[in-house]
Amino acid sequence: MDGSAERSLPEPSSQGSAAGGDMEIVVNVGGVRQVLCGDLLSQYPETRLAELVNCLAGGYDAIFSLCDDYDPGKREFYFDRDPDAFKCVIEVYYFGEVHMKKGICPICFKSEMDFWKVDLRFLDDCCKNHLSERREELEEIARRVRLILDDLGVDAAEGRWRGCQKRVWKFLEKPESSRPARVVAVLSFLLILVSSVVMCVGTIPELQVLDAEGNRVEHPTLESVETACIGWFTLEYLLRLFSSPNKLHFVLSFMNIVDVLAILPFYVSLTLTHLGARMMELTNVQQAVQALRIMRIARIFKLARHSSGLQTLTYALKRSFKELGLLLMYLAVGIFVFSALGYTMEQSHPETLFKSIPQSFWWAIITMTTVGYGDIYPKTTLGKLNAAISFLCGVIAIALPIHPIINNFVRYYNKQRVLETAAKHELELMELNSSGATAEGKAGGSRSDLDILPPPEPPGKEGPSWGSRLKLSHSDTFIPLLTEEKHHRTRLQSCK
């Protein structure tokens, strides 16, 4: 802007000094022109549009600090922003709340609200939930990208001990990292199955042998297989605990607690067998050992560590607590009502099987869940009618919450696939940006291009690995998605 233009400023200044609340301003957002009343905008004086009403008195410096361009003849303010998002933001002046249009990226819409200086408290609750879900998705993608970047190589500056821990952790926790790691994961999976089969087969009387006291015990061969499996599980747990980056989080993790519950009964029963007989009666020791052997069923849950389907099912059940609670509530009400009715109607029969209402609970449970063992059944006409109605109500009560639970499972499964694809896409973008920056640097690029390149390695050392180059471009390509920085309109349009 030259000096003559600055000297022509008094015209808009005098217009702005008029009754600011009665004046109208014209805004052009991305080619969409709108006329707004000053009284309407002054309801929220801290917003950018309200500041436009009084910015004319401050000169062109104040004007261009708020907009991208200004036409003094038309008194029109130009903004290079997304017009669809602006139509949603402008609703706060008319309705006192903002609703996000379908198809707009929530993260970029938040940036638009920050640009127009509209507080997030005006955003509707449903849109806030959508925004929080998208934030969680971006954080999950960032976490996956960081994990992949960490797996690309071990930093030499971390030291030999730290590097060894990361290699062991990668080897045991990430089967996709290498072929030996995949072989170990498959072997661990097979040993879990073998251990579970041995536990079941060991209870067959024909395969059991008699000990010195004449009691039936497991076959020595099955005990040897069990000992070998427990030895492998123990070694695996100790190695994972040794290489874990966060020992406390590792110990308190649910799946690791399951691992301990699968291993601990073997050593406790072994201790009681050899040492407990000296301190207590042999009968008590045998009962304790038998109870601990039952705890071996916990090892079947170790399969969830190697099965993404079981993990998805677990997460779907966690997200379906409300539906499961409704199911239990429906069944509880039906069990109480129909058991009381069945008891009352069956009292007239001399050979009734309904001795009391609490005893009738069992009949109501197996009837409403369509099991029907037949150990308790009605004998009167009214009792049979009551049983038919309870059966139909049980089918309806069970069928109603099934659809939301299945939807939660499908939604989470598809979401995991999308997040995995997005993480891989971000890595590809990082590789392209890194290779492009390297090529520009070799061709004599600008200083900003050279700043992202790694320092030259001294003679005799290998150059930076692909993983280190990705780490350098990591903060420039993906991490800004999770910050509070403003985004350009081109990125907003690409997210739509």
Side-chain angles (χ1 to χ4, degrees):
M1 191 71 62
D2 54 7
S4 60
E6 292 182 355
R7 286 191 295 270
S8 63
L9 183 61
E11 180 182 355
S13 178
S14 60
Q15 296 170 353
S17 61
D22 299 333
M23 68 175 297
E24 294 181 346
I25 62 173
V26 182
V27 295
N28 191 318
V29 181
V32 178
R33 190 170 180 269
Q34 292 194 22
V35 180
L36 301 174
C37 178
D39 290 335
L40 183 68
L41 302 179
S42 60
Q43 300 177 25
Y44 304 100
E46 297 179 355
T47 60
R48 184 179 292 266
L49 291 177
E51 293 176 355
L52 290 178
V53 179
N54 301 319
C55 72
L56 297 177
Y60 283 104
D61 291 337
I63 294 175
F64 286 104
S65 65
L66 299 174
C67 63
D68 296 319
D69 200 359
Y70 174 69
D71 187 350
K74 300 179 180 179
R75 293 194 304 173
E76 187 170 348
F77 300 89
Y78 294 90
F79 295 90
D80 187 18
R81 310 295 298 187
D82 182 65
D84 294 332
F86 177 74
K87 292 178 182 178
C88 300
V89 174
I90 200 67
E91 291 181 355
V92 70
Y93 299 98
Y94 295 98
F95 309 110
E97 60 181 6
V98 179
H99 288 271
M100 187 167 46
K101 259 187 185 179
K102 185 178 180 181
I104 298 180
C105 174
I107 300 298
C108 296
F109 187 78
K110 176 185 177 300
S111 301
E112 289 293 299
M113 292 188 65
D114 292 339
F115 174 80
W116 296 109
K117 299 182 181 180
V118 177
D119 197 272
L120 283 178
R121 61 186 175 88
F122 295 107
L123 193 63
D124 192 69
D125 292 338
C126 61
C127 301
K128 287 181 180 178
N129 295 333
H130 193 192
L131 176 63
S132 62
E133 290 178 1
R134 186 56 60 89
R135 277 179 173 173
E136 292 176 359
E137 292 178 2
L138 291 178
E139 291 173 358
E140 177 65 18
I141 295 174
R143 187 187 66 82
R144 292 175 181 239
V145 171
R146 292 190 188 100
L147 290 177
I148 296 176
L149 291 175
D150 292 338
D151 294 339
L152 291 176
V154 179
D155 192 356
E158 292 181 345
R160 182 176 301 178
W161 176 258
R162 181 62 177 169
C164 179
Q165 283 185 316
K166 294 186 68 173
R167 291 188 186 93
V168 174
W169 180 258
K170 177 182 176 182
F171 182 78
L172 295 175
E173 289 290 328
K174 298 178 173 59
E176 70 278 359
S177 61
S178 63
R179 188 180 296 273
R182 185 177 296 275
V183 171
V184 170
V186 172
L187 177 61
S188 179
F189 181 82
L190 293 177
L191 288 178
I192 294 173
L193 294 180
V194 169
S195 177
S196 302
V197 171
V198 167
M199 181 188 67
C200 298
V201 173
T203 59
I204 300 177
E206 290 78 8
L207 299 180
Q208 293 177 342
V209 296
L210 298 177
D211 58 3
E213 289 79 12
N215 299 320
R216 289 188 174 273
V217 294
E218 290 185 2
H219 197 279
T221 303
L222 297 180
E223 289 187 353
S224 301
V225 175
E226 172 77 7
T227 303
C229 294
I230 290 297
W232 171 268
F233 297 151
T234 304
L235 178 62
E236 182 185 34
Y237 180 83
L238 293 177
L239 287 176
R240 291 173 56 245
L241 178 61
F242 154 77
S243 60
S244 173
N246 190 340
K247 302 294 190 298
L248 181 60
H249 181 270
F250 177 86
V251 172
L252 298 180
S253 176
F254 173 75
M255 290 308 303
N256 296 323
I257 294 176
V258 171
D259 291 342
V260 173
L261 293 178
I263 297 171
L264 194 60
F266 175 82
Y267 295 102
V268 176
S269 61
L270 189 65
T271 303
L272 290 177
T273 302
H274 292 82
L275 302 178
R278 303 175 183 176
M279 298 182 296
M280 62 182 73
E281 296 181 0
L282 183 60
T283 304
N284 296 333
V285 173
Q286 291 176 349
Q287 292 177 353
V289 170
Q290 193 66 23
L292 289 170
R293 285 182 177 274
I294 299 300
M295 291 182 61
R296 294 186 299 175
I297 60 176
R299 68 188 58 176
I300 197 64
F301 294 106
K302 288 170 62 68
L303 293 175
R305 184 183 303 281
H306 306 280
S307 174
S308 59
L310 289 177
Q311 295 175 3
T312 305
L313 178 61
T314 302
Y315 182 84
L317 292 178
K318 288 182 180 179
R319 297 294 296 267
S320 305
F321 277 158
K322 184 177 180 180
E323 290 80 6
L324 293 174
L326 290 175
L327 171 61
L328 295 178
M329 184 186 70
Y330 294 155
L331 290 178
V333 173
I335 289 169
F336 181 81
V337 172
F338 291 112
S339 61
L341 291 177
Y343 170 76
T344 303
M345 295 174 181
E346 289 296 308
Q347 291 305 299
S348 60
H349 198 281
E351 299 178 357
T352 179
L353 298 175
F354 294 77
K355 303 300 182 181
S356 65
I357 291 180
Q359 187 181 10
S360 302
F361 287 167
W362 170 248
W363 167 82
I365 291 173
I366 61 178
T367 302
M368 294 192 68
T369 56
T370 69
V371 177
Y373 289 118
D375 53 346
I376 301 178
Y377 56 91
K379 296 182 179 181
T380 63
T381 302
L382 291 178
K384 293 178 180 179
L385 179 61
N386 177 62
I389 297 176
S390 65
F391 170 78
L392 294 177
C393 292
V395 171
I396 296 174
I398 295 175
L400 286 177
I402 294 299
H403 187 65
I405 295 175
I406 295 176
N407 283 342
N408 289 336
F409 178 84
V410 174
R411 187 184 300 112
Y412 180 74
Y413 181 76
N414 293 333
K415 180 180 178 180
Q416 292 303 308
R417 295 183 61 183
V418 170
L419 292 178
E420 183 178 356
T421 304
K424 293 180 180 179
H425 180 63
E426 289 293 336
L427 287 173
E428 293 174 357
L429 291 178
M430 293 176 192
E431 183 182 7
L432 291 175
N433 293 338
S434 178
S435 59
T438 304
E440 291 178 3
K442 291 182 179 180
S446 63
R447 177 63 180 172
S448 60
D449 295 330
L450 294 175
D451 287 341
I452 66 173
L453 295 177
E457 296 287 338
K461 292 187 178 181
E462 296 180 357
S465 63
W466 179 69
S468 62
R469 291 198 301 270
L470 286 182
K471 289 182 180 179
L472 289 170
S473 61
H474 185 218
S475 60
D476 296 329
T477 56
F478 185 81
I479 293 301
L481 292 178
L482 303 178
T483 61
E484 299 296 332
E485 298 177 3
K486 303 295 186 295
H487 303 297
H488 296 289
R489 179 170 171 253
T490 55
R491 178 157 184 83
L492 178 68
Q493 293 174 338
S494 65
C495 293
K496 292 174 56 179

